[in-house]
Amino acid sequence: MSIQLSCRDLGIQDCDWVATGETAGDIVEQVVRHLRKEQNINLPDAEEILEGDFTQSPLDDTMDPAVATIIRRLREKLNLEERGTSPDIGLVSGRVKSP
């Protein structure tokens, strides 16, 4: 069964791009590539997002809040974590830049 996930699903309202794949890994890899290249958003590597291991860049401490929200939404949409485990900052504009 094919999985689809769009930038809009992640809260990026000014982008119509959609990832399509067979696994959560396929989707996360495409999302990371797209957001880094087209939206200039500095996400952790796909493997780190899939594992949920943010020891190098904790979601709630040093990471840009917009990036943390995108990662939470991505993991939620792919059923990688339960809804409501962390706060959500709301809509995220495209072209968000992370330090």
Side-chain angles (χ1 to χ4, degrees), residues 24-82:
D26 295 339
I27 299 299
V28 173
E29 287 178 9
Q30 291 176 52
V31 167
V32 168
R33 244 188 338 265
H34 170 75
L35 293 183
R36 285 178 176 172
K37 183 178 178 184
E38 301 300 325
Q39 300 291 344
N40 198 25
I41 297 174
N42 188 19
L43 291 176
D45 292 333
E47 190 172 302
E48 188 177 5
I49 292 171
L50 286 165
E51 292 174 1
D53 179 16
F54 299 99
T55 54
Q56 298 297 329
S57 52
L59 282 181
D60 296 321
D61 296 337
T62 60
M63 187 177 288
D64 179 289
V67 172
T69 294
I70 290 168
I71 292 170
R72 282 186 196 100
R73 289 177 181 170
L74 176 59
R75 290 182 51 80
E76 179 183 303
K77 297 287 184 183
L78 296 172
N79 295 319
L80 299 173
E81 72 179 316
E82 292 182 25

Side-chain angles (χ1 to χ4, degrees), residues 7-13 64-73 83 86-94 96:
C7 272
R8 291 184 188 275
D9 292 333
L10 300 175
I12 301 172
Q13 297 302 306
D64 179 289
V67 172
T69 294
I70 290 168
I71 292 170
R72 282 186 196 100
R73 289 177 181 170
R83 182 175 182 80
S86 299
D88 191 311
I89 66 167
L91 296 178
V92 177
S93 303
V96 173

